[in-house]
Amino acid sequence: MLRSIVRRTSTTGAYLTRRGFASESAPDRKVAILGAAGGIGQPLSLLMKLNPLVSQLSLYDIAGTPGVAADVSHINTRSQVSGFAGDEQLGQALEGADVVIIPAGVPRKPGMTRDDLFNINAGIVKSLCTAIAKYCPHALVNMISNPVNSTVPIAAEVFKKAGTYDEKRLFGVTTLDVVRAKTFYAGKAKVNVADVIVPVVGGHAGITILPLFSQATPKANLGDEEIEALTKRTQDGGTEVVEAKAGKGSATLSMAYAGAIFADACLKGLNGVPDVVECSFVQSTVTDLPFFASKVRLGKNGVEEVLGLGPLSDFEKQGLEALKPELKSSIEKGIKFANDN
Ligand SMILES: NC(=O)C1=CN([C@@H]2O[C@H](COP(=O)(O)OP(=O)(O)OC[C@H]3O[C@@H](n4cnc5c(N)ncnc54)[C@H](O)[C@@H]3O)[C@@H](O)[C@H]2O)C=CC1
Ligand SMILES: O=C([O-])CC(=O)C(=O)O
Protein backbone atom coordinates (compact mmCIF):
# COMPACT_ATOMS: atom_id res chain seq x y z
CA MET A 1 0.00 0.00 0.00
CA LEU A 2 2.71 2.41 1.08
CA ARG A 3 4.78 1.57 -1.96
CA SER A 4 1.89 2.23 -4.34
CA ILE A 5 1.52 5.84 -3.26
CA VAL A 6 5.09 6.61 -2.41
CA ARG A 7 8.23 6.78 -4.50
CA ARG A 8 11.79 6.94 -3.34
CA THR A 9 14.32 9.46 -4.58
CA SER A 10 17.61 7.95 -5.70
CA THR A 11 19.85 10.55 -4.09
CA THR A 12 18.39 11.00 -0.64
CA GLY A 13 16.38 7.82 -0.43
CA ALA A 14 13.59 9.87 1.18
CA TYR A 15 10.01 8.83 0.85
CA LEU A 16 8.10 11.33 -1.25
CA THR A 17 4.50 11.24 -2.32
CA ARG A 18 3.65 11.85 -5.98
CA ARG A 19 3.22 15.52 -5.13
CA GLY A 20 6.67 15.64 -3.58
CA PHE A 21 5.71 15.98 0.08
CA ALA A 22 7.02 13.72 2.81
CA SER A 23 4.62 10.87 3.40
CA GLU A 24 2.79 10.98 6.72
CA SER A 25 1.95 7.30 6.39
CA ALA A 26 5.45 6.09 7.26
CA PRO A 27 5.36 4.38 10.70
CA ASP A 28 6.46 6.25 13.81
CA ARG A 29 10.20 5.86 14.38
CA LYS A 30 12.32 7.29 17.17
CA VAL A 31 15.97 7.98 16.39
CA ALA A 32 18.41 8.87 19.19
CA ILE A 33 21.79 10.48 18.53
CA LEU A 34 24.38 10.13 21.33
CA GLY A 35 27.07 12.80 21.00
CA ALA A 36 24.59 15.08 19.22
CA ALA A 37 26.31 18.34 20.19
CA GLY A 38 29.61 17.34 18.57
CA GLY A 39 31.23 17.93 15.21
CA ILE A 40 29.42 15.00 13.61
CA GLY A 41 26.44 15.11 15.95
CA GLN A 42 25.20 18.56 14.95
CA PRO A 43 25.09 18.15 11.16
CA LEU A 44 23.83 14.59 11.64
CA SER A 45 21.00 15.95 13.80
CA LEU A 46 20.16 18.36 11.00
CA LEU A 47 20.15 15.62 8.36
CA MET A 48 18.02 13.29 10.50
CA LYS A 49 15.57 16.17 11.08
CA LEU A 50 15.20 16.32 7.29
CA ASN A 51 14.39 12.60 7.08
CA PRO A 52 10.61 12.07 6.81
CA LEU A 53 10.94 8.51 8.17
CA VAL A 54 11.77 9.94 11.60
CA SER A 55 8.87 10.89 13.88
CA GLN A 56 10.87 11.53 17.08
CA LEU A 57 14.43 12.81 17.15
CA SER A 58 16.19 12.53 20.50
CA LEU A 59 19.46 14.45 20.85
CA TYR A 60 21.75 13.46 23.72
CA ASP A 61 25.19 14.67 24.80
CA ILE A 62 26.96 15.36 28.07
CA ALA A 63 26.19 19.06 27.49
CA GLY A 64 24.96 21.47 24.84
CA THR A 65 22.07 19.45 23.47
CA PRO A 66 19.21 21.73 24.64
CA GLY A 67 20.58 24.40 22.31
CA VAL A 68 21.12 22.08 19.37
CA ALA A 69 17.63 20.63 19.87
CA ALA A 70 15.95 24.04 20.12
CA ASP A 71 17.69 25.12 16.93
CA VAL A 72 16.93 22.00 14.88
CA SER A 73 13.35 21.78 16.22
CA HIS A 74 12.33 24.94 14.35
CA ILE A 75 12.80 23.19 11.01
CA ASN A 76 9.35 22.48 9.56
CA THR A 77 9.66 18.74 9.01
CA ARG A 78 7.85 15.76 10.53
CA SER A 79 9.86 14.85 13.61
CA GLN A 80 9.44 16.17 17.15
CA VAL A 81 12.86 17.03 18.56
CA SER A 82 13.97 16.74 22.20
CA GLY A 83 17.34 17.54 23.73
CA PHE A 84 18.79 15.65 26.70
CA ALA A 85 21.99 16.44 28.58
CA GLY A 86 23.88 14.59 31.28
CA ASP A 87 23.78 11.07 32.70
CA GLU A 88 20.50 11.51 34.48
CA GLN A 89 18.68 12.18 31.18
CA LEU A 90 20.24 9.37 29.15
CA GLY A 91 17.45 6.90 29.93
CA GLN A 92 14.78 9.30 28.73
CA ALA A 93 16.79 10.02 25.60
CA LEU A 94 16.93 6.32 24.75
CA GLU A 95 13.54 5.04 25.84
CA GLY A 96 11.58 3.67 22.87
CA ALA A 97 14.34 4.33 20.32
CA ASP A 98 14.22 2.28 17.12
CA VAL A 99 17.66 3.41 15.95
CA VAL A 100 20.51 4.76 18.12
CA ILE A 101 23.37 6.50 16.34
CA ILE A 102 26.60 6.92 18.35
CA PRO A 103 29.07 9.61 17.28
CA ALA A 104 30.19 10.22 20.91
CA GLY A 105 33.87 10.38 21.72
CA VAL A 106 37.10 12.14 20.87
CA PRO A 107 38.33 12.58 17.29
CA ARG A 108 41.92 12.24 15.99
CA LYS A 109 44.57 14.92 15.72
CA PRO A 110 47.39 14.78 13.15
CA GLY A 111 49.85 11.97 13.86
CA MET A 112 47.32 9.81 15.70
CA THR A 113 45.83 6.51 14.56
CA ARG A 114 42.21 5.63 15.25
CA ASP A 115 43.49 3.10 17.79
CA ASP A 116 45.04 5.99 19.75
CA LEU A 117 41.44 6.98 20.58
CA PHE A 118 40.77 3.62 22.22
CA ASN A 119 41.65 4.59 25.80
CA ILE A 120 39.04 7.36 25.93
CA ASN A 121 36.37 6.15 23.53
CA ALA A 122 36.20 2.53 24.73
CA GLY A 123 34.89 3.68 28.12
CA ILE A 124 32.41 6.12 26.56
CA VAL A 125 31.02 3.45 24.24
CA LYS A 126 30.83 0.91 27.04
CA SER A 127 28.78 3.19 29.29
CA LEU A 128 26.45 4.27 26.46
CA CYS A 129 25.87 0.65 25.42
CA THR A 130 25.13 -0.33 29.01
CA ALA A 131 22.34 2.28 28.94
CA ILE A 132 21.09 1.07 25.54
CA ALA A 133 20.83 -2.48 26.93
CA LYS A 134 18.72 -1.09 29.78
CA TYR A 135 16.47 1.42 28.03
CA CYS A 136 16.10 0.32 24.39
CA PRO A 137 17.49 -3.22 24.07
CA HIS A 138 15.80 -3.78 20.70
CA ALA A 139 17.14 -0.67 18.96
CA LEU A 140 19.40 -0.91 15.92
CA VAL A 141 22.76 0.53 17.03
CA ASN A 142 24.81 2.49 14.47
CA MET A 143 28.34 2.79 15.90
CA ILE A 144 30.34 5.72 14.53
CA SER A 145 32.78 6.25 17.45
CA ASN A 146 36.33 5.18 16.68
CA PRO A 147 38.12 2.86 16.61
CA VAL A 148 35.09 1.15 15.02
CA ASN A 149 37.10 -2.08 14.66
CA SER A 150 37.14 -2.25 18.49
CA THR A 151 34.06 -0.28 19.58
CA VAL A 152 31.66 -2.66 17.81
CA PRO A 153 33.10 -5.72 19.61
CA ILE A 154 32.94 -3.73 22.88
CA ALA A 155 29.23 -3.06 22.26
CA ALA A 156 28.62 -6.73 21.47
CA GLU A 157 30.26 -7.82 24.75
CA VAL A 158 28.30 -5.26 26.78
CA PHE A 159 25.04 -6.46 25.22
CA LYS A 160 26.00 -10.13 25.76
CA LYS A 161 26.64 -9.45 29.46
CA ALA A 162 23.28 -7.70 29.74
CA GLY A 163 21.59 -10.61 27.94
CA THR A 164 20.30 -8.37 25.16
CA TYR A 165 22.79 -9.09 22.35
CA ASP A 166 21.25 -9.60 18.95
CA GLU A 167 23.91 -9.64 16.23
CA LYS A 168 21.32 -8.47 13.73
CA ARG A 169 21.03 -5.13 15.50
CA LEU A 170 24.62 -3.97 15.85
CA PHE A 171 26.36 -2.10 13.03
CA GLY A 172 29.71 -0.38 12.67
CA VAL A 173 29.18 2.54 10.33
CA THR A 174 31.65 2.23 7.44
CA THR A 175 29.51 4.19 4.98
CA LEU A 176 32.06 7.02 4.79
CA ASP A 177 34.54 4.60 3.23
CA VAL A 178 31.96 3.80 0.56
CA VAL A 179 31.15 7.48 0.06
CA ARG A 180 34.87 8.24 -0.44
CA ALA A 181 35.47 5.25 -2.72
CA LYS A 182 32.56 6.38 -4.92
CA THR A 183 33.81 9.97 -5.10
CA PHE A 184 37.44 9.07 -5.81
CA TYR A 185 36.48 6.41 -8.39
CA ALA A 186 34.13 8.75 -10.24
CA GLY A 187 36.90 11.34 -10.42
CA LYS A 188 39.43 8.92 -11.91
CA ALA A 189 37.04 6.95 -14.12
CA LYS A 190 35.32 10.14 -15.35
CA VAL A 191 31.86 8.71 -14.74
CA ASN A 192 28.81 10.28 -13.12
CA VAL A 193 29.37 9.98 -9.37
CA ALA A 194 25.65 9.47 -8.75
CA ASP A 195 25.79 6.22 -10.77
CA VAL A 196 28.81 4.72 -9.00
CA ILE A 197 28.55 1.62 -6.83
CA VAL A 198 31.66 0.29 -5.00
CA PRO A 199 31.60 -2.15 -2.09
CA VAL A 200 34.13 -1.52 0.68
CA VAL A 201 34.86 -4.45 2.99
CA GLY A 202 37.07 -5.35 5.97
CA GLY A 203 37.13 -2.78 8.76
CA HIS A 204 37.42 0.96 9.33
CA ALA A 205 41.10 1.86 9.82
CA GLY A 206 44.02 2.10 7.40
CA ILE A 207 44.68 -1.11 5.49
CA THR A 208 41.65 -2.81 7.07
CA ILE A 209 39.57 -0.62 4.71
CA LEU A 210 39.43 -2.64 1.49
CA PRO A 211 37.54 -1.07 -1.42
CA LEU A 212 36.64 -3.61 -4.13
CA PHE A 213 37.21 -1.50 -7.23
CA SER A 214 37.20 -4.65 -9.39
CA GLN A 215 33.44 -4.74 -8.70
CA ALA A 216 32.88 -1.00 -9.23
CA THR A 217 30.25 0.10 -11.70
CA PRO A 218 30.02 1.78 -14.17
CA LYS A 219 33.03 -0.21 -15.41
CA ALA A 220 36.14 1.74 -16.39
CA ASN A 221 39.44 0.65 -17.82
CA LEU A 222 41.69 1.78 -15.00
CA GLY A 223 45.24 0.41 -14.83
CA ASP A 224 46.77 -1.39 -11.84
CA GLU A 225 48.58 1.73 -10.67
CA GLU A 226 45.41 3.79 -10.75
CA ILE A 227 43.52 1.13 -8.76
CA GLU A 228 46.34 0.97 -6.21
CA ALA A 229 46.33 4.76 -5.85
CA LEU A 230 42.52 4.82 -5.47
CA THR A 231 42.72 2.09 -2.84
CA LYS A 232 45.38 3.95 -0.88
CA ARG A 233 43.46 7.23 -1.06
CA THR A 234 40.30 5.52 0.23
CA GLN A 235 42.26 3.89 3.07
CA ASP A 236 43.86 7.23 3.96
CA GLY A 237 40.71 9.32 3.44
CA GLY A 238 40.23 9.95 7.15
CA THR A 239 43.86 10.98 7.58
CA GLU A 240 43.59 13.33 4.59
CA VAL A 241 40.85 15.21 6.45
CA VAL A 242 42.61 15.07 9.84
CA GLU A 243 45.72 16.64 8.29
CA ALA A 244 43.75 19.29 6.39
CA LYS A 245 41.92 20.24 9.61
CA ALA A 246 45.35 20.54 11.28
CA GLY A 247 44.35 19.79 14.87
CA LYS A 248 40.69 20.81 14.64
CA GLY A 249 39.37 17.26 14.46
CA SER A 250 38.46 14.74 11.76
CA ALA A 251 35.74 14.32 9.16
CA THR A 252 32.45 15.68 10.47
CA LEU A 253 30.34 16.90 7.53
CA SER A 254 31.03 13.98 5.18
CA MET A 255 30.61 11.65 8.17
CA ALA A 256 27.27 13.21 9.05
CA TYR A 257 26.18 12.65 5.44
CA ALA A 258 27.37 9.04 5.54
CA GLY A 259 25.75 8.45 8.94
CA ALA A 260 22.47 9.85 7.67
CA ILE A 261 22.57 7.57 4.62
CA PHE A 262 23.19 4.52 6.81
CA ALA A 263 20.52 5.40 9.37
CA ASP A 264 18.05 6.01 6.54
CA ALA A 265 18.84 2.53 5.19
CA CYS A 266 18.22 1.04 8.66
CA LEU A 267 14.86 2.84 8.89
CA LYS A 268 13.85 1.67 5.43
CA GLY A 269 14.75 -1.89 6.38
CA LEU A 270 12.69 -1.64 9.59
CA ASN A 271 9.78 -0.32 7.52
CA GLY A 272 9.92 -3.32 5.19
CA VAL A 273 11.35 -1.66 2.10
CA PRO A 274 12.86 -4.50 0.04
CA ASP A 275 16.45 -4.77 -1.23
CA VAL A 276 18.08 -2.24 1.06
CA VAL A 277 21.78 -3.08 0.91
CA GLU A 278 24.66 -1.14 2.50
CA CYS A 279 28.17 -2.08 3.60
CA SER A 280 28.60 -2.31 7.37
CA PHE A 281 30.94 -3.81 9.98
CA VAL A 282 28.85 -6.57 11.56
CA GLN A 283 29.13 -9.98 13.19
CA SER A 284 30.09 -12.14 10.27
CA THR A 285 31.07 -15.56 8.95
CA VAL A 286 32.27 -14.16 5.62
CA THR A 287 35.89 -14.67 6.78
CA ASP A 288 37.37 -16.38 9.83
CA LEU A 289 37.10 -13.09 11.77
CA PRO A 290 34.10 -12.66 14.08
CA PHE A 291 33.34 -9.15 12.79
CA PHE A 292 33.84 -7.96 9.24
CA ALA A 293 32.46 -5.25 6.97
CA SER A 294 30.70 -6.38 3.82
CA LYS A 295 27.45 -5.77 2.01
CA VAL A 296 24.49 -6.36 4.30
CA ARG A 297 20.82 -6.65 3.39
CA LEU A 298 18.71 -4.71 5.91
CA GLY A 299 15.25 -5.76 6.97
CA LYS A 300 12.57 -5.53 9.63
CA ASN A 301 14.90 -6.99 12.29
CA GLY A 302 18.09 -5.28 11.22
CA VAL A 303 20.56 -7.51 9.37
CA GLU A 304 18.56 -9.79 7.10
CA GLU A 305 21.56 -11.25 5.29
CA VAL A 306 25.30 -10.70 5.39
CA LEU A 307 26.37 -10.93 1.76
CA GLY A 308 29.62 -12.55 0.62
CA LEU A 309 32.59 -10.79 -0.94
CA GLY A 310 32.02 -11.81 -4.57
CA PRO A 311 34.95 -12.31 -6.94
CA LEU A 312 38.15 -10.50 -5.90
CA SER A 313 41.12 -9.42 -8.02
CA ASP A 314 44.56 -10.72 -7.02
CA PHE A 315 45.34 -7.28 -5.59
CA GLU A 316 42.18 -7.42 -3.45
CA LYS A 317 42.92 -11.01 -2.35
CA GLN A 318 46.34 -9.81 -1.12
CA GLY A 319 44.70 -6.86 0.61
CA LEU A 320 42.26 -9.18 2.34
CA GLU A 321 45.02 -11.40 3.73
CA ALA A 322 47.08 -8.37 4.74
CA LEU A 323 44.28 -6.76 6.75
CA LYS A 324 43.32 -9.80 8.81
CA PRO A 325 46.01 -9.66 11.55
CA GLU A 326 45.36 -5.98 12.34
CA LEU A 327 41.59 -6.39 12.28
CA LYS A 328 41.80 -9.51 14.44
CA SER A 329 43.89 -7.76 17.08
CA SER A 330 41.59 -4.68 17.13
CA ILE A 331 38.58 -6.95 17.62
CA GLU A 332 40.32 -8.87 20.40
CA LYS A 333 41.39 -5.64 22.08
CA GLY A 334 37.74 -4.52 22.22
CA ILE A 335 36.53 -7.84 23.59
CA LYS A 336 39.27 -7.88 26.24
CA PHE A 337 38.49 -4.32 27.34
CA ALA A 338 34.79 -5.08 27.73
CA ASN A 339 35.51 -8.15 29.82
CA ASP A 340 38.25 -6.63 31.99
CA ASN A 341 36.49 -3.36 32.84
N1 LIG B 1 32.97 5.75 11.62
C1 LIG B 1 33.49 6.72 10.91
O1 LIG B 1 33.58 6.62 9.68
C2 LIG B 1 33.94 7.98 11.56
C3 LIG B 1 34.05 8.07 12.93
N2 LIG B 1 34.44 9.23 13.53
C4 LIG B 1 34.52 9.23 15.00
O2 LIG B 1 33.37 9.84 15.56
C5 LIG B 1 33.67 10.32 16.87
C6 LIG B 1 33.14 11.74 17.08
O3 LIG B 1 33.82 12.64 16.24
P1 LIG B 1 33.46 14.22 16.27
O4 LIG B 1 32.00 14.42 16.25
O5 LIG B 1 34.31 14.86 15.27
O6 LIG B 1 34.01 14.58 17.74
P2 LIG B 1 33.57 15.85 18.67
O7 LIG B 1 34.57 15.92 19.77
O8 LIG B 1 33.35 17.04 17.83
O9 LIG B 1 32.16 15.38 19.23
C7 LIG B 1 32.03 14.29 20.08
C8 LIG B 1 30.88 14.56 21.01
O10 LIG B 1 30.74 13.42 21.86
C9 LIG B 1 30.35 13.92 23.11
N3 LIG B 1 30.56 12.94 24.18
C10 LIG B 1 31.69 12.62 24.83
N4 LIG B 1 31.43 11.71 25.78
C11 LIG B 1 30.10 11.45 25.71
C12 LIG B 1 29.23 10.61 26.44
N5 LIG B 1 29.66 9.84 27.43
N6 LIG B 1 27.93 10.62 26.09
C13 LIG B 1 27.47 11.39 25.09
N7 LIG B 1 28.24 12.20 24.37
C14 LIG B 1 29.55 12.23 24.68
C15 LIG B 1 31.16 15.20 23.31
O11 LIG B 1 30.57 16.02 24.31
C16 LIG B 1 31.08 15.79 21.93
O12 LIG B 1 29.98 16.67 21.78
C17 LIG B 1 35.19 10.20 17.00
O13 LIG B 1 35.50 9.04 17.75
C18 LIG B 1 35.66 10.03 15.58
O14 LIG B 1 36.89 9.36 15.47
C19 LIG B 1 34.70 10.35 12.81
C20 LIG B 1 34.58 10.32 11.44
C21 LIG B 1 34.25 9.14 10.71
O1 LIG C 1 39.95 9.41 10.34
C1 LIG C 1 39.35 9.60 11.41
O2 LIG C 1 39.89 9.64 12.51
C2 LIG C 1 37.87 9.71 11.36
C3 LIG C 1 37.35 8.61 10.50
O3 LIG C 1 37.15 7.51 10.94
C4 LIG C 1 37.24 8.88 9.07
O4 LIG C 1 37.23 10.05 8.64
O5 LIG C 1 37.14 7.90 8.32
mmCIF file of all heavy atoms in Angstrom, residues 259-278:
data_model
loop_
_atom_site.group_PDB
_atom_site.id
_atom_site.type_symbol
_atom_site.label_atom_id
_atom_site.label_comp_id
_atom_site.label_asym_id
_atom_site.label_seq_id
_atom_site.Cartn_x
_atom_site.Cartn_y
_atom_site.Cartn_z
ATOM 1 N N GLY A 259 26.549 8.988 7.832
ATOM 2 C CA GLY A 259 25.749 8.453 8.943
ATOM 3 C C GLY A 259 24.261 8.566 8.657
ATOM 4 O O GLY A 259 23.477 7.669 9.010
ATOM 5 N N ALA A 260 23.889 9.654 8.010
ATOM 6 C CA ALA A 260 22.470 9.850 7.669
ATOM 7 C C ALA A 260 22.016 8.856 6.607
ATOM 8 O O ALA A 260 20.895 8.344 6.660
ATOM 9 C CB ALA A 260 22.239 11.286 7.198
ATOM 10 N N ILE A 261 22.887 8.575 5.655
ATOM 11 C CA ILE A 261 22.566 7.571 4.620
ATOM 12 C C ILE A 261 22.366 6.209 5.281
ATOM 13 O O ILE A 261 21.408 5.486 4.980
ATOM 14 C CB ILE A 261 23.746 7.440 3.601
ATOM 15 C CG1 ILE A 261 23.934 8.717 2.811
ATOM 16 C CG2 ILE A 261 23.572 6.223 2.698
ATOM 17 C CD1 ILE A 261 23.054 8.863 1.634
ATOM 18 N N PHE A 262 23.279 5.859 6.204
ATOM 19 C CA PHE A 262 23.190 4.522 6.806
ATOM 20 C C PHE A 262 21.961 4.404 7.711
ATOM 21 O O PHE A 262 21.253 3.395 7.691
ATOM 22 C CB PHE A 262 24.473 4.158 7.564
ATOM 23 C CG PHE A 262 24.456 2.719 7.971
ATOM 24 C CD1 PHE A 262 24.599 1.718 7.024
ATOM 25 C CD2 PHE A 262 24.229 2.349 9.285
ATOM 26 C CE1 PHE A 262 24.520 0.379 7.367
ATOM 27 C CE2 PHE A 262 24.144 1.016 9.650
ATOM 28 C CZ PHE A 262 24.296 0.032 8.692
ATOM 29 N N ALA A 263 21.697 5.448 8.490
ATOM 30 C CA ALA A 263 20.517 5.401 9.374
ATOM 31 C C ALA A 263 19.237 5.327 8.542
ATOM 32 O O ALA A 263 18.289 4.609 8.890
ATOM 33 C CB ALA A 263 20.491 6.627 10.281
ATOM 34 N N ASP A 264 19.210 6.057 7.436
ATOM 35 C CA ASP A 264 18.050 6.011 6.539
ATOM 36 C C ASP A 264 17.840 4.585 6.017
ATOM 37 O O ASP A 264 16.707 4.091 5.947
ATOM 38 C CB ASP A 264 18.269 6.995 5.379
ATOM 39 C CG ASP A 264 17.116 6.989 4.404
ATOM 40 O OD1 ASP A 264 16.007 7.419 4.797
ATOM 41 O OD2 ASP A 264 17.293 6.525 3.256
ATOM 42 N N ALA A 265 18.942 3.912 5.678
ATOM 43 C CA ALA A 265 18.843 2.528 5.193
ATOM 44 C C ALA A 265 18.282 1.624 6.295
ATOM 45 O O ALA A 265 17.445 0.755 6.033
ATOM 46 C CB ALA A 265 20.211 2.040 4.728
ATOM 47 N N CYS A 266 18.742 1.833 7.532
ATOM 48 C CA CYS A 266 18.219 1.037 8.660
ATOM 49 C C CYS A 266 16.714 1.257 8.819
ATOM 50 O O CYS A 266 15.949 0.314 9.036
ATOM 51 C CB CYS A 266 18.940 1.404 9.953
ATOM 52 S SG CYS A 266 20.635 0.803 10.020
ATOM 53 N N LEU A 267 16.289 2.520 8.735
ATOM 54 C CA LEU A 267 14.862 2.840 8.886
ATOM 55 C C LEU A 267 14.048 2.210 7.766
ATOM 56 O O LEU A 267 12.967 1.656 7.994
ATOM 57 C CB LEU A 267 14.665 4.362 8.893
ATOM 58 C CG LEU A 267 15.192 5.078 10.140
ATOM 59 C CD1 LEU A 267 15.290 6.579 9.909
ATOM 60 C CD2 LEU A 267 14.300 4.780 11.346
ATOM 61 N N LYS A 268 14.559 2.280 6.561
ATOM 62 C CA LYS A 268 13.848 1.669 5.429
ATOM 63 C C LYS A 268 13.713 0.171 5.642
ATOM 64 O O LYS A 268 12.648 -0.406 5.399
ATOM 65 C CB LYS A 268 14.601 1.930 4.128
ATOM 66 C CG LYS A 268 14.458 3.338 3.629
ATOM 67 C CD LYS A 268 14.915 3.390 2.189
ATOM 68 C CE LYS A 268 14.918 4.817 1.708
ATOM 69 N NZ LYS A 268 16.267 5.300 1.445
ATOM 70 N N GLY A 269 14.811 -0.455 6.103
ATOM 71 C CA GLY A 269 14.754 -1.889 6.383
ATOM 72 C C GLY A 269 13.690 -2.191 7.423
ATOM 73 O O GLY A 269 12.844 -3.072 7.233
ATOM 74 N N LEU A 270 13.691 -1.433 8.525
ATOM 75 C CA LEU A 270 12.692 -1.638 9.588
ATOM 76 C C LEU A 270 11.281 -1.502 9.032
ATOM 77 O O LEU A 270 10.353 -2.192 9.449
ATOM 78 C CB LEU A 270 12.880 -0.601 10.702
ATOM 79 C CG LEU A 270 14.081 -0.763 11.628
ATOM 80 C CD1 LEU A 270 14.158 0.397 12.607
ATOM 81 C CD2 LEU A 270 14.018 -2.093 12.391
ATOM 82 N N ASN A 271 11.106 -0.587 8.075
ATOM 83 C CA ASN A 271 9.785 -0.319 7.518
ATOM 84 C C ASN A 271 9.385 -1.312 6.433
ATOM 85 O O ASN A 271 8.324 -1.190 5.831
ATOM 86 C CB ASN A 271 9.734 1.104 6.949
ATOM 87 C CG ASN A 271 9.786 2.151 8.052
ATOM 88 O OD1 ASN A 271 9.731 1.822 9.236
ATOM 89 N ND2 ASN A 271 9.891 3.411 7.669
ATOM 90 N N GLY A 272 10.268 -2.275 6.148
ATOM 91 C CA GLY A 272 9.921 -3.322 5.193
ATOM 92 C C GLY A 272 10.193 -2.983 3.743
ATOM 93 O O GLY A 272 9.699 -3.673 2.835
ATOM 94 N N VAL A 273 10.974 -1.952 3.488
ATOM 95 C CA VAL A 273 11.347 -1.657 2.097
ATOM 96 C C VAL A 273 12.286 -2.777 1.627
ATOM 97 O O VAL A 273 13.239 -3.107 2.328
ATOM 98 C CB VAL A 273 12.061 -0.280 2.001
ATOM 99 C CG1 VAL A 273 12.566 -0.018 0.592
ATOM 100 C CG2 VAL A 273 11.120 0.830 2.472
ATOM 101 N N PRO A 274 12.015 -3.382 0.477
ATOM 102 C CA PRO A 274 12.860 -4.500 0.043
ATOM 103 C C PRO A 274 14.201 -4.045 -0.544
ATOM 104 O O PRO A 274 14.339 -2.905 -0.991
ATOM 105 C CB PRO A 274 12.007 -5.178 -1.037
ATOM 106 C CG PRO A 274 11.119 -4.106 -1.563
ATOM 107 C CD PRO A 274 10.900 -3.116 -0.448
ATOM 108 N N ASP A 275 15.151 -4.978 -0.543
ATOM 109 C CA ASP A 275 16.448 -4.770 -1.225
ATOM 110 C C ASP A 275 17.209 -3.533 -0.770
ATOM 111 O O ASP A 275 17.709 -2.776 -1.598
ATOM 112 C CB ASP A 275 16.242 -4.716 -2.749
ATOM 113 C CG ASP A 275 15.864 -6.077 -3.272
ATOM 114 O OD1 ASP A 275 16.394 -7.065 -2.757
ATOM 115 O OD2 ASP A 275 15.004 -6.143 -4.169
ATOM 116 N N VAL A 276 17.242 -3.324 0.536
ATOM 117 C CA VAL A 276 18.078 -2.236 1.064
ATOM 118 C C VAL A 276 19.423 -2.865 1.426
ATOM 119 O O VAL A 276 19.507 -3.703 2.329
ATOM 120 C CB VAL A 276 17.433 -1.592 2.311
ATOM 121 C CG1 VAL A 276 18.324 -0.467 2.838
ATOM 122 C CG2 VAL A 276 16.038 -1.073 1.984
ATOM 123 N N VAL A 277 20.454 -2.489 0.703
ATOM 124 C CA VAL A 277 21.783 -3.083 0.907
ATOM 125 C C VAL A 277 22.806 -1.978 1.126
ATOM 126 O O VAL A 277 22.884 -1.032 0.351
ATOM 127 C CB VAL A 277 22.194 -3.953 -0.307
ATOM 128 C CG1 VAL A 277 23.626 -4.472 -0.143
ATOM 129 C CG2 VAL A 277 21.239 -5.120 -0.493
ATOM 130 N N GLU A 278 23.561 -2.071 2.223
ATOM 131 C CA GLU A 278 24.662 -1.142 2.504
ATOM 132 C C GLU A 278 25.816 -1.949 3.081
ATOM 133 O O GLU A 278 25.603 -2.996 3.687
ATOM 134 C CB GLU A 278 24.249 -0.093 3.562
ATOM 135 C CG GLU A 278 23.220 0.915 3.127
ATOM 136 C CD GLU A 278 23.734 1.938 2.110
ATOM 137 O OE1 GLU A 278 24.959 2.143 2.025
ATOM 138 O OE2 GLU A 278 22.892 2.515 1.395
#
